[in-house]
């Protein structure tokens, strides 16, 4: 399958879910080119943005697993083609 470049934005509203989010991200480290995190200590939200390069199936596997976590929102934007 053809590799695509994309971004994934993760909003963590329940900070207790952070270890599970980090575990899933680590399991998909082979497609992650860049990671940026912004914890809002005065609010109950943290934001993680990822730049990824991988097949659509692999990117969807990552976002799907993250999106199934209670208290986590996840969206991806992927190039249509290289």
């Amino acid at each position: 399958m053809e590799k695509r470049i994309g971004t994934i934005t993760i909003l963590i509203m329940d900070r207790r879910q952070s270890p599970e989010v980090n575990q899933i991200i680590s399991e998909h480290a082979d497609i992650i080119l860049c990671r940026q995190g912004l914890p809002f200590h005065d609010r109950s939200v943290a934001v993680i943005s990822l730049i990824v390069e991988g097949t659509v199936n692999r990117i969807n596997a990552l976002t799907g697993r993250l999106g199934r976590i209670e208290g986590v929102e996840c969206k991806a934007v992927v190039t249509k083609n290289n």
Side-chain angles (χ1 to χ4, degrees), residues 61-74:
L62 172 55
T63 58
R65 285 186 65 195
L66 291 169
R68 285 190 292 276
I69 301 171
E70 184 79 25
V72 175
E73 298 279 334
C74 183

PDB file of all heavy atoms in Angstrom, residues 61-74:
ATOM      1  N   ALA A  61      -5.564   2.637  12.058  1.00  0.00           N
ATOM      2  CA  ALA A  61      -5.445   1.752  13.212  1.00  0.00           C
ATOM      3  C   ALA A  61      -5.070   2.552  14.459  1.00  0.00           C
ATOM      4  O   ALA A  61      -5.622   2.328  15.546  1.00  0.00           O
ATOM      5  CB  ALA A  61      -4.415   0.657  12.946  1.00  0.00           C
ATOM      6  N   LEU A  62      -4.153   3.479  14.297  1.00  0.00           N
ATOM      7  CA  LEU A  62      -3.737   4.330  15.416  1.00  0.00           C
ATOM      8  C   LEU A  62      -4.886   5.217  15.883  1.00  0.00           C
ATOM      9  O   LEU A  62      -5.221   5.231  17.068  1.00  0.00           O
ATOM     10  CB  LEU A  62      -2.528   5.183  15.005  1.00  0.00           C
ATOM     11  CG  LEU A  62      -2.073   6.276  15.976  1.00  0.00           C
ATOM     12  CD1 LEU A  62      -1.785   5.720  17.356  1.00  0.00           C
ATOM     13  CD2 LEU A  62      -0.864   6.997  15.402  1.00  0.00           C
ATOM     14  N   THR A  63      -5.516   5.939  14.967  1.00  0.00           N
ATOM     15  CA  THR A  63      -6.594   6.847  15.365  1.00  0.00           C
ATOM     16  C   THR A  63      -7.801   6.081  15.905  1.00  0.00           C
ATOM     17  O   THR A  63      -8.465   6.540  16.827  1.00  0.00           O
ATOM     18  CB  THR A  63      -7.016   7.765  14.201  1.00  0.00           C
ATOM     19  OG1 THR A  63      -7.430   6.966  13.093  1.00  0.00           O
ATOM     20  CG2 THR A  63      -5.895   8.689  13.788  1.00  0.00           C
ATOM     21  N   GLY A  64      -8.057   4.904  15.353  1.00  0.00           N
ATOM     22  CA  GLY A  64      -9.178   4.106  15.834  1.00  0.00           C
ATOM     23  C   GLY A  64      -9.009   3.673  17.269  1.00  0.00           C
ATOM     24  O   GLY A  64      -9.931   3.764  18.081  1.00  0.00           O
ATOM     25  N   ARG A  65      -7.830   3.203  17.593  1.00  0.00           N
ATOM     26  CA  ARG A  65      -7.563   2.765  18.978  1.00  0.00           C
ATOM     27  C   ARG A  65      -7.644   3.939  19.948  1.00  0.00           C
ATOM     28  O   ARG A  65      -8.218   3.824  21.034  1.00  0.00           O
ATOM     29  CB  ARG A  65      -6.197   2.105  19.079  1.00  0.00           C
ATOM     30  CG  ARG A  65      -6.185   0.706  18.481  1.00  0.00           C
ATOM     31  CD  ARG A  65      -4.883   0.001  18.693  1.00  0.00           C
ATOM     32  NE  ARG A  65      -4.630  -0.257  20.112  1.00  0.00           N
ATOM     33  CZ  ARG A  65      -3.443  -0.608  20.593  1.00  0.00           C
ATOM     34  NH1 ARG A  65      -2.414  -0.750  19.777  1.00  0.00           N
ATOM     35  NH2 ARG A  65      -3.283  -0.825  21.879  1.00  0.00           N
ATOM     36  N   LEU A  66      -7.075   5.070  19.541  1.00  0.00           N
ATOM     37  CA  LEU A  66      -7.118   6.245  20.413  1.00  0.00           C
ATOM     38  C   LEU A  66      -8.547   6.748  20.589  1.00  0.00           C
ATOM     39  O   LEU A  66      -8.954   7.129  21.683  1.00  0.00           O
ATOM     40  CB  LEU A  66      -6.236   7.362  19.842  1.00  0.00           C
ATOM     41  CG  LEU A  66      -4.732   7.103  19.872  1.00  0.00           C
ATOM     42  CD1 LEU A  66      -4.005   8.143  19.043  1.00  0.00           C
ATOM     43  CD2 LEU A  66      -4.215   7.080  21.306  1.00  0.00           C
ATOM     44  N   GLY A  67      -9.317   6.745  19.517  1.00  0.00           N
ATOM     45  CA  GLY A  67     -10.681   7.254  19.560  1.00  0.00           C
ATOM     46  C   GLY A  67     -11.626   6.411  20.403  1.00  0.00           C
ATOM     47  O   GLY A  67     -12.689   6.889  20.809  1.00  0.00           O
ATOM     48  N   ARG A  68     -11.263   5.181  20.675  1.00  0.00           N
ATOM     49  CA  ARG A  68     -12.110   4.303  21.497  1.00  0.00           C
ATOM     50  C   ARG A  68     -11.862   4.476  23.002  1.00  0.00           C
ATOM     51  O   ARG A  68     -12.575   3.887  23.820  1.00  0.00           O
ATOM     52  CB  ARG A  68     -11.901   2.847  21.103  1.00  0.00           C
ATOM     53  CG  ARG A  68     -12.568   2.497  19.782  1.00  0.00           C
ATOM     54  CD  ARG A  68     -12.558   1.017  19.517  1.00  0.00           C
ATOM     55  NE  ARG A  68     -11.233   0.471  19.268  1.00  0.00           N
ATOM     56  CZ  ARG A  68     -10.621   0.474  18.091  1.00  0.00           C
ATOM     57  NH1 ARG A  68     -11.191   1.022  17.042  1.00  0.00           N
ATOM     58  NH2 ARG A  68      -9.419  -0.055  17.957  1.00  0.00           N
ATOM     59  N   ILE A  69     -10.896   5.300  23.358  1.00  0.00           N
ATOM     60  CA  ILE A  69     -10.605   5.524  24.780  1.00  0.00           C
ATOM     61  C   ILE A  69     -11.582   6.571  25.322  1.00  0.00           C
ATOM     62  O   ILE A  69     -11.734   7.653  24.742  1.00  0.00           O
ATOM     63  CB  ILE A  69      -9.153   6.012  24.982  1.00  0.00           C
ATOM     64  CG1 ILE A  69      -8.160   4.992  24.431  1.00  0.00           C
ATOM     65  CG2 ILE A  69      -8.886   6.293  26.463  1.00  0.00           C
ATOM     66  CD1 ILE A  69      -6.727   5.497  24.405  1.00  0.00           C
ATOM     67  N   GLU A  70     -12.219   6.235  26.423  1.00  0.00           N
ATOM     68  CA  GLU A  70     -13.134   7.166  27.090  1.00  0.00           C
ATOM     69  C   GLU A  70     -12.375   8.432  27.501  1.00  0.00           C
ATOM     70  O   GLU A  70     -11.293   8.351  28.074  1.00  0.00           O
ATOM     71  CB  GLU A  70     -13.716   6.494  28.336  1.00  0.00           C
ATOM     72  CG  GLU A  70     -14.747   7.314  29.055  1.00  0.00           C
ATOM     73  CD  GLU A  70     -16.108   7.254  28.396  1.00  0.00           C
ATOM     74  OE1 GLU A  70     -16.385   6.263  27.693  1.00  0.00           O
ATOM     75  OE2 GLU A  70     -16.886   8.196  28.595  1.00  0.00           O
ATOM     76  N   GLY A  71     -12.914   9.606  27.167  1.00  0.00           N
ATOM     77  CA  GLY A  71     -12.288  10.870  27.535  1.00  0.00           C
ATOM     78  C   GLY A  71     -11.210  11.330  26.577  1.00  0.00           C
ATOM     79  O   GLY A  71     -10.469  12.262  26.879  1.00  0.00           O
ATOM     80  N   VAL A  72     -11.128  10.700  25.389  1.00  0.00           N
ATOM     81  CA  VAL A  72     -10.128  11.073  24.379  1.00  0.00           C
ATOM     82  C   VAL A  72     -10.828  11.303  23.043  1.00  0.00           C
ATOM     83  O   VAL A  72     -11.670  10.511  22.633  1.00  0.00           O
ATOM     84  CB  VAL A  72      -9.054   9.968  24.222  1.00  0.00           C
ATOM     85  CG1 VAL A  72      -8.082  10.299  23.094  1.00  0.00           C
ATOM     86  CG2 VAL A  72      -8.304   9.772  25.530  1.00  0.00           C
ATOM     87  N   GLU A  73     -10.500  12.410  22.387  1.00  0.00           N
ATOM     88  CA  GLU A  73     -10.982  12.713  21.033  1.00  0.00           C
ATOM     89  C   GLU A  73      -9.777  12.659  20.100  1.00  0.00           C
ATOM     90  O   GLU A  73      -8.684  13.111  20.462  1.00  0.00           O
ATOM     91  CB  GLU A  73     -11.592  14.111  20.963  1.00  0.00           C
ATOM     92  CG  GLU A  73     -12.799  14.308  21.831  1.00  0.00           C
ATOM     93  CD  GLU A  73     -14.062  13.775  21.189  1.00  0.00           C
ATOM     94  OE1 GLU A  73     -14.118  13.717  19.951  1.00  0.00           O
ATOM     95  OE2 GLU A  73     -14.983  13.421  21.942  1.00  0.00           O
ATOM     96  N   CYS A  74      -9.967  12.132  18.907  1.00  0.00           N
ATOM     97  CA  CYS A  74      -8.854  11.966  17.977  1.00  0.00           C
ATOM     98  C   CYS A  74      -9.339  12.167  16.550  1.00  0.00           C
ATOM     99  O   CYS A  74     -10.344  11.588  16.141  1.00  0.00           O
ATOM    100  CB  CYS A  74      -8.275  10.564  18.153  1.00  0.00           C
ATOM    101  SG  CYS A  74      -6.848  10.264  17.127  1.00  0.00           S
TER     102      CYS A  74
END
